[in-house]
Structures are given as structure tokens and as C-alpha cells.
């Protein structure tokens, strides 16, 4: 029988401040496949593994498992069904002794989330053990690279042995395992901690994914508290919108940016020129800074098509009152071109690589 729990109040954002429960050693797996074909595939594999199953409701069936069986199910079978089936099959895991409620039925997640959590337990451990660190990448004045304007805070994970974890790998698993809220928050806090540890006095760019924030006044409480405790002035911080191609609710993003601005922060739009969506956002968001996508900058001094596009974006940003930062500058030719065509700031391996503490900026000859 399904029970209805009484509501509980929380002082923090449970979505991003609390990691999901670990997958138990023993428990029950609830599955709601989208079509009969998917159900039949899963049931046939459960039979091969001698795992009993039963129907809970029409379209939802359950099977009891031990952890090793679930690992085999995820690693040997579920990785081979289509990504669409993994996404549209809803799932829920309850540990032995945990009672099924209407609430946790409403919290059923895509099956790919469970698969990712099984395969990506290392990310759960990284977050739980606070092994997210920040590397700092200088942003320098275009016409005077010896003058550092700001540092972009770039998140890196570390293994138990201290080796770096590729950030792309972290975020890919986080999306699939429903850990993106937790990872995005951890990266923001690591940036603030890193600035204090390395005595960063310049401006700092902190990335954030808008899709991980429901309500800024609620979801950003710990971020704001960490900034206050660190003694960092809001004027020193620029919050940088990432994943612009995934933004579907511009009004929600405007609410977040308004919250940042009301608290004294500036905002930046990342990867301008990577697609129509980012250019379309420029007019609506009115950012203080825009960062031009590195693919535009690559060989811009040799590619007349890129040159026309990049020059127009720089001019458009200037007319709209936004400062421009060109990312991915790796050659003297690229630097000279963006400098001569009006870019305000530059960032790239030509000047320094991301590091903690920050590398000393190299001055091109």
C-alpha cells in the first residue's frame, strides 16, 4: 500500500545541496517503459538473469535486485538499448525496508539516470568528498596583454590519487545521472574557495548553467553566503551564462540575471557566434560582456569568412554597450587581428594556460 508522507520544510535547496541517495546493496527497481517492445526486451533479460518481476500497475513493473545484479543489468544490457528508450523509460529505486509513496512515484527518473549513476559512481564520490577544484585562466587586455583584467574559473575534478578528471567527462555523466544541479553548485563554491586560497584580487568569471537554478533567491543561498564569507566584493564577480544553445526559457534566465545584477554582480554571455540562439539572446539579455566562440577565432586572420562574421559581432556588441572577449587565441596572427579589429579583451593559450595558482602571462613578441 502507498502511504502519503507529511510535508517537510527545508532551509536549503534540496535539489542541489543534497546528493541523491546511493544505490542500495539490495532493493526494488521500478520500471515504466514507453512501449511494449522496450518492456519485452527488459523482461527477457531479467528472465535470463533469473530475476523475478511482477506488475505493480498497468505499464509499471518491479524487480528485486542485489547490487551485483543491477550492475550487470546496467553494464551488460541497458547500455545496448537505444538512448531514446533509456531516456523515456521511467525508473525508481527503493532500498529494502523503504516504503513506496505517491511522492517517490512522482520522482521517477529516466532509466539512463540509474545507468549513469551505476557507471559514474566516481562522480558521486568526487562530489561527496569535495574533490572539485578551480583552475584560473587569465583574460587580458587586447592591446596590452601584460595587464590581466580577470580570471575565468574553470572546474576540474580530482581522483582519490590526485589526478585531474576531464571536465567534459564530469558534466556528461552529471547530465545523465541527474547530478548537474549538484555539480554546478559545487563548481561555483570551488571557484569562490579557490579565489581565497590563491588570493585572487582581479575580477573573476564564474560559469553557471541556468537550467540548474529554479528560483535564484532560493537556489543561490549558499553561493551568496560563500561570497559574503569570503569577503569578495560583488563588483569583482561576473557570472557567465553557459550552454546558451540549450536555453529555452529566456524569461527564467532574465529573472536569474536580474537577481545577480540587483546584488551588484555583472553578467556575461558565453560562446557568442556559436549559433543563432546566442546572437538572438544578445538583444534580450543585454550582458555586460560577451565572449566570442573560439571556433570563430581559430585562424580568423587567414579566413575571410570568419573575419567578416567576427568583425560584425565585435561591432554589434560595442554598439550595444557590451565589452568583447575573444576566446581561444593561440597564435600571434589571431591576437593581432582581434586587437586591430576592436576586441576589448583576449583569452587563450598564447598568453597562459588554466592553472592553480594562475600562470604568469606570457607576452607575445
Amino acid at each position: 500500500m502507498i502511504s502519503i508522507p507529511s510535508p517537510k520544510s527545508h532551509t536549503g535547496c534540496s535539489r542541489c545541496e543534497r546528493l541523491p541517495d546511493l544505490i542500495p546493496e539490495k532493493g526494488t527497481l521500478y520500471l515504466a517503459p514507453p512501449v511494449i517492445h522496450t518492456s519485452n526486451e527488459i523482461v527477457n533479460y531479467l528472465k535470463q538473469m533469473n530475476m523475478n518481476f511482477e506488475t505493480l500497475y498497468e505499464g509499471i513493473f518491479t524487480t528485486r535486485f542485489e547490487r551485483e545484479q543491477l550492475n550487470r543489468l546496467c553494464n551488460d544490457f541497458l547500455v545496448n538499448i537505444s538512448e531514446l528508450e533509456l531516456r523515456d523509460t521511467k525508473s525508481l529505486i527503493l532500498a529494502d525496508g523503504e516504503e513506496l509513496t505517491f511522492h517517490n512515484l512522482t520522482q521517477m527518473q529516466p532509466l539512463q539516470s540509474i545507468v549513469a549513476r551505476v557507471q559514474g559512481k566516481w562522480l558521486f564520490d568526487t562530489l561527496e568528498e569535495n574533490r572539485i577544484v578551480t583552475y584560473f585562466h587569465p583574460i587580458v587586455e587586447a592591446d596590452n596583454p601584460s595587464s590581466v583584467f580577470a580570471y575565468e574559473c574553470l572546474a576540474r575534478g580530482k581522483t582519490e590519487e590526485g589526478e585531474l578528471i576531464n571536465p567534459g567527462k564530469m558534466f556528461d555523466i552529471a547530465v545523465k545521472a541527474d547530478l548537474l544541479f549538484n555539480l554546478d553548485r559545487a563548481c561555483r563554491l570551488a571557484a569562490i574557495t579557490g579565489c581565497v586560497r590563491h588570493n585572487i584580487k582581479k575580477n573573476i568569471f564564474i560559469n553557471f548553467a541556468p537550467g540548474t537554478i529554479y528560483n535564484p533567491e532560493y537556489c543561490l543561498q549558499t553561493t551568496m553566503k560563500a561570497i559574503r564569507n569570503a569577503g569578495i566584493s560583488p563588483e569583482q564577480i561576473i557570472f557567465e551564462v553557459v550552454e546558451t544553445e540549450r536555453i529555452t526559457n529566456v524569461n527564467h534566465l532574465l529573472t536569474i540575471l536580474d537577481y545577480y545584477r540587483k546584488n551588484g554582480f555583472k553578467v556575461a554571455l558565453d560562446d557568442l557566434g556559436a549559433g543563432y540562439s546566442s546572437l538572438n539572446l544578445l538583444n534580450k539579455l543585454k550582458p555586460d560582456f560577451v565572449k566570442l566562440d573560439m571556433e570563430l577565432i581559430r585562424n580568423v586572420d587567414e579566413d575571410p569568412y570568419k573575419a567578416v562574421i567576427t568583425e560584425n559581432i565585435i561591432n554589434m556588441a560595442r554598439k550595444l554597450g557590451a565589452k568583447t572577449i575573444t576566446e581561444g587565441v593561440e597564435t600571434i596572427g589571431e591576437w593581432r587581428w582581434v586587437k586591430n579589429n576592436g576586441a576589448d579583451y583576449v583569452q587563450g593559450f598564447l598568453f597562459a594556460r588554466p592553472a592553480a595558482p594562475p600562470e604568469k602571462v606570457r607576452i607575445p613578441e
Side-chain angles (χ1 to χ4, degrees), residues 294-311 330-338 340-341:
M294 66 174 62
E295 286 303 316
L296 274 181
I297 306 305
R298 186 69 60 249
N299 300 320
V300 68
D301 55 317
E302 300 175 354
D303 188 326
Y305 290 93
K306 286 186 176 182
V308 170
I309 295 170
T310 304
E311 183 178 8
E330 295 187 356
T331 68
I332 292 178
E334 292 167 354
W335 164 53
R336 287 175 176 166
W337 189 96
V338 297
N340 294 335
N341 283 275

Side-chain angles (χ1 to χ4, degrees), residues 12 14 16 42 53 65 74 95 116 142 153 157 169 181-182 189 201 209 253 271 285 321 330 342 346:
S14 59
C16 64
I42 295 175
F53 58 91
F65 69 86
C74 291
C153 299
K169 182 180 179 182
F181 286 79
N182 309 91
L189 297 181
K201 299 301 183 183
L253 176 55
D271 292 339
L285 303 183
E330 295 187 356
V346 291

Side-chain angles (χ1 to χ4, degrees), residues 238-253:
I238 299 97
F239 281 101
E240 181 176 334
V241 182
V242 297
E243 298 184 343
T244 54
E245 76 282 358
R246 298 185 184 180
I247 294 171
T248 57
N249 190 336
V250 177
N251 289 332
H252 174 62
L253 176 55

Side-chain angles (χ1 to χ4, degrees), residues 256-282:
I256 299 171
L257 298 188
D258 286 345
Y259 174 82
Y260 282 138
R261 285 175 166 136
K262 286 177 183 177
N263 282 277
F265 305 103
K266 294 183 177 65
V267 297
L269 187 61
D270 192 24
D271 292 339
L272 195 67
Y276 169 76
S277 59
S278 61
L279 288 173
N280 194 36
L281 287 172
L282 183 59

Side-chain angles (χ1 to χ4, degrees), residues 42-303:
I42 295 175
V43 164
N44 287 337
Y45 190 79
L46 294 177
K47 289 178 178 178
Q48 293 177 29
M49 294 177 65
N50 295 318
M51 294 175 65
N52 296 325
F53 58 91
E54 60 183 39
T55 300
L56 179 64
Y57 300 112
E58 184 178 356
I60 301 180
F61 65 90
T62 73
T63 180
R64 285 187 47 74
F65 69 86
E66 294 187 3
R67 182 61 184 273
E68 183 56 36
Q69 291 174 311
L70 185 64
N71 289 347
R72 285 176 53 200
L73 179 65
C74 291
N75 292 316
D76 296 344
F77 172 68
L78 293 179
V79 292
N80 295 315
I81 70 174
S82 74
E83 186 172 337
L84 192 60
E85 288 175 295
L86 281 177
R87 187 195 69 190
D88 290 349
T89 297
K90 302 304 178 185
S91 61
L92 171 69
I93 285 180
L94 294 181
D96 277 1
E98 189 175 357
E99 190 175 4
L100 181 65
T101 67
F102 283 121
H103 174 72
N104 51 37
L105 273 180
T106 64
Q107 300 299 308
M108 293 185 82
Q109 299 176 329
L111 184 54
Q112 70 176 6
S113 174
I114 289 178
V115 176
R117 284 172 63 190
V118 168
Q119 296 182 326
K121 184 179 179 298
W122 56 267
L123 178 57
F124 188 101
D125 295 339
T126 300
L127 291 169
E128 188 174 49
E129 296 167 11
N130 199 26
R131 286 191 270 108
I132 302 294
V133 298
T134 297
Y135 275 32
F136 299 92
H137 201 195
I139 297 171
V140 301
E141 294 182 10
D143 58 359
N144 182 20
S146 63
S147 178
V148 175
F149 167 70
Y151 292 99
E152 181 179 2
C153 299
L154 300 172
R156 301 288 188 266
K158 282 196 171 183
T159 65
E160 291 181 311
E161 294 74 28
E163 296 179 0
L164 290 179
I165 302 172
N166 182 288
K169 182 180 179 182
M170 284 199 306
F171 280 92
D172 181 57
I173 287 291
V175 169
K176 293 177 181 177
D178 196 31
L179 290 170
L180 186 58
F181 286 79
N182 309 91
L183 179 58
D184 196 64
R185 171 184 175 272
C187 292
R188 293 195 301 269
L189 297 181
I192 297 163
T193 301
C195 286
V196 174
R197 178 180 298 122
H198 298 295
N199 196 31
I200 304 295
K201 299 301 183 183
K202 299 289 186 179
N203 297 312
I204 54 172
F205 281 67
I206 299 178
N207 298 326
F208 78 98
T212 64
I213 299 171
Y214 288 131
N215 181 307
E217 292 189 11
Y218 183 67
C219 296
L220 294 171
Q221 288 181 53
T222 53
T223 300
M224 297 298 110
K225 181 179 179 181
I227 291 170
R228 289 193 298 270
N229 291 344
I232 300 175
S233 168
E235 289 77 15
Q236 187 183 348
I237 298 177
I238 299 97
F239 281 101
E240 181 176 334
V241 182
V242 297
E243 298 184 343
T244 54
E245 76 282 358
R246 298 185 184 180
I247 294 171
T248 57
N249 190 336
V250 177
N251 289 332
H252 174 62
L253 176 55
L254 282 170
T255 298
I256 299 171
L257 298 188
D258 286 345
Y259 174 82
Y260 282 138
R261 285 175 166 136
K262 286 177 183 177
N263 282 277
F265 305 103
K266 294 183 177 65
V267 297
L269 187 61
D270 192 24
D271 292 339
L272 195 67
Y276 169 76
S277 59
S278 61
L279 288 173
N280 194 36
L281 287 172
L282 183 59
N283 169 57
K284 296 178 180 179
L285 303 183
K286 299 178 175 58
D288 301 288
F289 301 88
V290 293
K291 300 184 76 174
L292 276 68
D293 182 55
M294 66 174 62
E295 286 303 316
L296 274 181
I297 306 305
R298 186 69 60 249
N299 300 320
V300 68
D301 55 317
E302 300 175 354
D303 188 326

